[in-house]
Amino acid sequence: DNELELYRAVTEYVRHYFNRAMSKGNNSVAFAMMLLQRRLSSSLEAVHLSLERRRNKLEQLLAATLEERKKYYRQLQKLSFEDYEDETLGEQQKIEERIEEAFFAIDLEELSTELEALDHLLALSSRLRRSTIERKYQELEKTLFGINGLMQSKEKILVFTEATDTLRYLERKLLERVPKVATIHGQMSMEERHRQIESFKNDCQIMLATDAGGESINLHFCNQLINYDIPWNPNKLEQRMGRIHRIGQRNEVLIFNLVAANTIEGDVLLRLLRKMEQMREDLGESLVYDFIGDILEDKYYDLPTLMQEAVLNRENLDEIIAGMEKTLSEEHKKLLEIAKQEMTDVELLDLPAMRREQQELVVKKLGPRCYETFTTRTLAGQRVRITSAQHGQIKRVEYLPRYLRDIARLKGVKIDGEQVYRFTRYKELESEEMKLLTSDHPLFKLAIKLTEDELEKVAFTRYMVSYPAPEPVSVFVYKVVVTDGAGQECEKDLLFLGKRQNGEIIEVAPYWLFQAEFGKELTVLAEEADPEFAAAALQGAAEIKEQISAKR
């Protein structure tokens, strides 16, 4: 209740001086007021120190001469805020530090009146700092150290805040509970930031970061993110997530947002976050945060302006929030319609998931050498005449037998019976006439279909081969096929399971087959029934099935 009293008093002060500044065309004070409101949402410490700095500046101005006040006033008026959102986070922080102490008028009486208002606000904030621990920090402590708190998981935890004052407050409080905390903020050199990242990676469980400090850093070894305050720009929110939610992240990313629901900003942000989460679930993954700011710009210019409207026009708050939700709902509906139109008979197009799969395929894809070797061996086994040129770098197939053309037609592979196929494994030799042989090449697709037919006739047995591995491993290969209720094949995959010497069963990535050469000696082994493999294979197949179900 006491914090709420301070919140209402500061908000009333902000509203009063913002409106006066705008009526006089004083943009710097208007900006300073909105900055103070953001500090109020960040922490008790941040708003107290901002009020204190503002009060000290006004005291200096009261003691200054009229000429000194006029000179400082002119300097502030020259500051431009038009490109503020387009600046780097570090530059934005510098602008904020400069503008925080902007004053409304050079008149001594008006300065004295504002000083009295600040004294009242500082009395409220000072009493709170002395007598209580702010509610938001209590929630943070509960999240970190409570029953089943995040600290017990032994995972790395990244805590983000907009304000350096809040960061220093959190550092002091957390060091009462843990031996070490890493910090990263905009005033640090890149060298010091890297030292702090190494400390976070190796020596401590918690890192505190500001947006400016977190710019361009990669923390994919961490998967727990707490937003101690929420930026008024969805792109900044997405950038925070991007510090840990990126290529190299192996775990599910968990994000916690601390929002005071009974404040104006909290009301707007909660509705926005819930709407964004609903859109994220419906549309797939968190890229919704990338474009949500653009959606709002069409109607409100940007989210900071919308927040400003909410703070200044509390009477129209419900109307403002309803307008925001209507804008997002219309966009949500439009995007769902687009997704529905792009539906295939198997799954909805999930663009973020497709992007991740594409990245994974790039990492795991085979080189052209494998495709070319496989294709030439398979076709030569079918008595296809293949000629070579330039020391085997270029291959040529002039004619495919009729039975192979018939098989291609039955299997849905588009083969031109009159075409001369010239191909290579070397990218530098690729041209309009000379195709690089990849998985998209019709001859490779035909070779795959021929091999699948051959494998249907093979009775598999066990073999022992030499392979450069750190220890002997038994590998079982399972073909997993998932079909839908109509019997249509949704997915076909190979599952490789390996058993180590200690009995542990592990899943082996399929591209292990192409990492090294097998030894030429083959030893046939007796059949072996291993129920552990069967159980692991069933579990692996069930996981593949769940992934397909989730996509559908």
Side-chain angles (χ1 to χ4, degrees):
D1 290 341
N2 290 335
E3 286 181 21
L4 198 56
E5 181 190 356
L6 174 67
Y7 171 83
R8 287 170 178 159
V10 172
T11 302
E12 191 52 49
Y13 166 84
V14 165
R15 191 179 288 130
H16 174 73
Y17 281 96
F18 181 94
N19 288 331
R20 289 200 64 189
M22 291 304 289
S23 68
K24 299 285 187 182
N26 191 324
N27 291 330
S28 55
V29 171
F31 188 93
M33 289 300 106
M34 281 301 116
L35 184 58
L36 184 61
Q37 191 74 26
R38 276 165 48 198
R39 295 283 188 267
L40 184 59
S41 300
S42 180
S43 69
L44 172 61
E45 186 76 2
V47 74
H48 174 82
L49 293 177
S50 292
L51 290 168
E52 204 170 61
R53 285 191 289 267
R54 185 164 184 78
R55 184 191 184 285
N56 292 341
K57 188 65 185 179
L58 291 188
E59 279 191 327
Q60 289 175 19
L61 290 167
L62 278 169
T65 65
L66 179 61
E67 268 316 303
E68 287 171 334
R69 291 199 297 276
K70 283 181 177 179
K71 182 181 176 183
Y72 186 61
Y73 186 81
R74 284 194 296 269
Q75 288 174 349
L76 287 172
Q77 291 301 98
K78 289 177 184 176
L79 285 176
S80 172
F81 311 105
E82 289 181 9
D83 302 322
Y84 172 81
E85 289 296 338
D86 297 326
E87 294 283 1
T88 64
L89 295 173
E91 285 301 314
Q92 286 182 5
Q93 185 175 333
K94 288 177 185 175
I95 292 172
E96 289 174 6
E97 287 169 1
R98 181 89 193 278
I99 210 67
E100 188 179 39
E101 298 163 356
F103 60 100
F104 173 70
I106 56 175
D107 181 76
L108 292 179
E109 189 177 335
E110 292 209 23
L111 286 173
S112 298
T113 302
E114 186 177 353
L115 201 57
E116 287 177 16
L118 286 169
D119 283 337
H120 170 66
L121 296 176
L122 278 165
L124 291 175
S125 62
S126 298
R127 188 168 67 244
L128 275 170
R129 285 177 87 217
R130 285 195 305 270
S131 60
T132 62
I133 296 172
E134 75 168 323
R135 174 70 193 283
K136 195 195 286 192
Y137 181 76
Q138 292 174 28
E139 290 295 328
L140 177 68
E141 273 212 341
K142 199 186 301 178
T143 305
L144 293 174
F145 306 108
I147 298 170
N148 300 321
L150 298 181
M151 293 294 287
Q152 294 182 29
S153 69
K154 306 300 180 188
E155 298 282 2
K156 302 291 183 182
I157 301 157
L158 176 62
V159 182
F160 255 114
T161 174
E162 280 198 302
T164 306
D165 292 330
T166 301
L167 180 144
R168 291 186 175 125
Y169 165 75
L170 292 176
E171 183 181 18
R172 288 197 306 274
K173 296 296 292 179
L174 289 171
L175 284 174
E176 296 172 6
R177 301 293 302 263
V178 295
K180 192 170 184 181
V181 173
T183 60
I184 196 162
H185 52 78
Q187 294 159 357
M188 283 181 173
S189 66
M190 285 308 297
E191 186 181 352
E192 177 57 28
R193 293 183 205 195
H194 288 306
R195 276 201 294 269
Q196 290 293 321
I197 292 169
E198 283 304 305
S199 174
F200 182 38
K201 190 173 184 179
N202 302 313
D203 305 328
C204 58
Q205 204 174 337
I206 300 174
M207 170 174 267
L208 302 172
T210 63
D211 292 307
E215 204 168 17
S216 304
I217 64 168
N218 184 343
L219 299 171
H220 65 260
F221 56 85
C222 165
N223 71 316
Q224 314 270 344
L225 170 63
I226 298 174
N227 288 313
Y228 196 77
D229 48 38
I230 312 293
W232 289 5
N233 185 332
N235 294 336
K236 284 185 181 178
L237 195 59
E238 196 277 331
Q239 285 167 356
R240 288 183 180 186
M241 292 188 290
R243 299 305 108 224
I244 62 175
H245 197 279
R246 59 201 301 147
I247 294 173
Q249 178 58 263
R250 298 181 179 182
N251 301 309
E252 183 181 13
V253 170
L254 301 177
I255 297 167
F256 302 84
N257 296 310
L258 293 174
V259 182
N262 57 349
T263 63
I264 296 168
E265 303 93 306
D267 198 356
V268 174
L269 286 169
L270 275 177
R271 308 268 194 108
L272 179 63
L273 287 166
R274 284 172 187 150
K275 195 70 185 175
M276 288 162 81
E277 183 63 13
Q278 184 187 345
M279 292 175 76
R280 188 191 69 78
E281 287 179 5
D282 288 347
L283 298 166
E285 270 311 314
S286 54
L287 292 177
V288 64
Y289 295 94
D290 283 337
F291 59 80
I292 212 88
D294 297 333
I295 296 167
L296 291 173
E297 275 183 23
D298 292 340
K299 190 170 179 70
Y300 295 100
Y301 175 63
D302 55 24
L303 183 62
T305 306
L306 186 149
M307 295 293 273
Q308 181 177 298
E309 282 295 306
V311 170
L312 299 174
N313 301 316
R314 58 188 174 200
E315 299 83 2
N316 301 326
L317 181 60
D318 290 339
E319 187 181 319
I320 291 165
I321 292 175
M324 176 189 77
E325 290 188 323
K326 183 173 183 287
T327 302
L328 293 177
S329 294
E330 287 171 356
E331 187 70 18
H332 187 187
K333 184 179 177 183
K334 189 165 70 179
L335 290 168
L336 284 175
E337 283 300 315
I338 292 168
K340 192 183 290 183
Q341 289 165 15
E342 293 177 340
M343 188 194 295
T344 67
D345 58 342
V346 176
E347 64 187 23
L348 282 168
L349 283 179
D350 182 350
L351 296 180
M354 285 172 71
R355 183 183 292 175
R356 287 197 307 278
E357 287 174 14
Q358 182 185 27
Q359 289 166 344
E360 190 173 337
L361 286 169
V362 167
V363 173
K364 296 182 178 180
K365 74 175 181 180
L366 306 177
R369 175 180 62 83
C370 297
Y371 295 111
E372 188 259 352
T373 304
F374 171 82
T375 303
T376 51
R377 282 183 182 174
T378 304
L379 294 181
Q382 297 288 340
R383 301 187 300 281
V384 175
R385 186 167 180 269
I386 303 171
T387 57
S388 300
Q390 293 188 22
H391 307 292
Q393 292 182 329
I394 294 174
K395 299 289 173 68
R396 181 185 177 103
V397 173
E398 295 190 5
Y399 174 76
L400 283 171
R402 173 179 277 281
Y403 82 93
L404 286 180
R405 299 203 301 272
D406 290 341
I407 290 172
R409 190 177 68 256
L410 288 170
K411 299 288 185 182
V413 179
K414 293 181 180 178
I415 291 287
D416 185 349
E418 296 180 8
Q419 182 178 338
V420 175
Y421 287 95
R422 299 174 73 235
F423 56 91
T424 180
R425 68 165 74 167
Y426 299 98
K427 191 164 181 60
E428 58 270 21
L429 296 179
E430 185 182 12
S431 67
E432 194 64 34
E433 299 77 33
M434 179 76 58
K435 299 298 183 186
L436 186 69
L437 203 138
T438 66
S439 60
D440 289 324
H441 198 286
L443 291 183
F444 172 77
K445 290 179 177 179
L446 176 60
I448 282 286
K449 296 299 182 184
L450 292 169
T451 305
E452 284 179 349
D453 287 349
E454 285 296 313
L455 289 178
E456 293 298 327
K457 307 167 191 172
V458 172
F460 286 106
T461 185
R462 291 177 71 236
Y463 300 94
M464 181 165 65
V465 295
S466 62
Y467 184 87
E471 65 180 287
V473 180
S474 298
V475 179
F476 276 56
V477 189
Y478 294 85
K479 183 165 75 172
V480 179
V481 180
V482 181
T483 59
D484 63 16
Q488 293 291 314
E489 187 175 283
C490 304
E491 184 89 5
K492 184 163 63 177
D493 214 342
L494 289 179
L495 182 64
F496 292 82
L497 297 175
K499 192 171 192 177
R500 302 179 60 194
Q501 283 183 299
N502 63 6
E504 179 190 5
I505 293 181
I506 56 173
E507 186 173 344
V508 183
Y511 55 95
W512 75 279
L513 288 167
F514 306 94
Q515 294 291 95
E517 294 288 333
F518 287 85
K520 296 194 187 315
E521 294 293 322
L522 261 186
T523 305
V524 180
L525 302 176
E527 289 296 321
E528 179 183 73
D530 192 327
E532 287 183 37
F533 269 116
L538 282 170
Q539 184 181 343
E543 288 172 0
I544 292 172
K545 175 176 170 284
E546 285 174 7
Q547 289 168 10
I548 303 305
S549 297
K551 285 183 180 180
R552 287 171 68 84

